[in-house]
């Protein structure tokens, strides 16, 4: 097995790797529900660490199954649909007596997780998952952008709105991460030089 410090660098995870990361977060440490929900929401909604840290119960609309995302770095806010799994996890995670200003992801002291704790728990889950890349929080945001680029067939304006980018050039960089962009270049061409046309 490759030593962890020598694993190759990559800016995103494939969806199956995110699922492995989620599973590792769920089974590693004392706060499996909190940590795995943090991983999944960060990925599914393209959250920055600062946005996950600042997320409050007032931004979670259980009635309409929506997450009101407040972007940092002067990003545009947006409202995202919550999936059934996310709703269930959030309902289990919500403490009794939580107010709209209560942070979603809290420490043992009842305060919002600090940035370093978020980075450490995601790094620890990446190691536990045995991924061949060193995982960090922003990698999950990139993974969201990468996934959306493939699924939405490069509908950059839609992706821009979802991720809260003010400038489309930040969204367009996900084409650089798209490892399928060259798949059709040789379609219909000879791919075996030993076979005569």
């Amino acid at each position: 097995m490759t030593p962890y410090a020598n694993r190759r660098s990559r800016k995103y995870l494939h969806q199956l790797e995110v699922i492995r990361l989620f599973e590792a977060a769920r089974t590693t440490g004392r706060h499996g529900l909190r940590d795995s929900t943090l991983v999944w929401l960060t990925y599914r909604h393209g959250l920055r660490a600062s946005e996950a840290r600042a997320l409050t119960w007032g931004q979670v609309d259980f009635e309409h199954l929506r997450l009101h995302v407040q972007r940092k770095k002067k990003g545009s806010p947006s409202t995202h649909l919550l999936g059934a799994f996310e709703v269930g996890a959030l309902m289990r995670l919500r403490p009794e007596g939580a107010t709209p200003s209560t942070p979603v992801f809290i420490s043992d002291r009842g305060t919002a997780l600090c940035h370093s704790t978020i980075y450490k728990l995601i790094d620890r889950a990446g190691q536990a998952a045995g991924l061949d890349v060193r995982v960090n929080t922003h990698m999950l945001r990139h993974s969201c952008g990468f996934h959306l680029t493939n699924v939405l067939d490069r509908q950059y304006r839609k992706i821009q709105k979802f991720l809260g980018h003010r400038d489309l050039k930040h969204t367009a960089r996900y084409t650089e991460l798209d490892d399928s962009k060259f798949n059709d270049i040789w379609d219909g061409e000879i791919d075996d030089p030993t076979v005569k046309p």
Side-chain angles (χ1 to χ4, degrees), residues 138-157:
H138 208 68
M139 189 179 282
L140 290 172
R141 180 170 165 82
H142 286 314
S143 301
C144 178
F146 170 78
H147 177 73
L148 293 175
T149 299
N150 287 302
V151 170
L152 295 176
D153 195 25
R154 300 171 184 83
Q155 296 177 42
Y156 296 120
R157 290 288 179 196

Side-chain angles (χ1 to χ4, degrees), residues 120-133:
K120 285 175 187 171
L121 76 86
I122 288 178
D123 181 55
R124 182 180 65 220
Q127 293 183 54
L131 300 177
D132 64 354
V133 293

Side-chain angles (χ1 to χ4, degrees), residues 17-27 36-37 39-40 85:
E17 292 173 316
V18 175
I19 291 170
R20 284 171 56 192
L21 183 70
F22 166 83
E23 287 294 334
R26 192 169 62 84
T27 57
S36 60
T37 304
V39 166
W40 195 247
F85 174 80

Side-chain angles (χ1 to χ4, degrees), residues 181-195:
K181 66 183 172 227
F182 299 127
N183 287 357
D184 60 351
I185 286 182
W186 292 102
D187 279 359
E189 299 294 325
I190 297 169
D191 62 354
D192 183 346
T194 63
V195 177

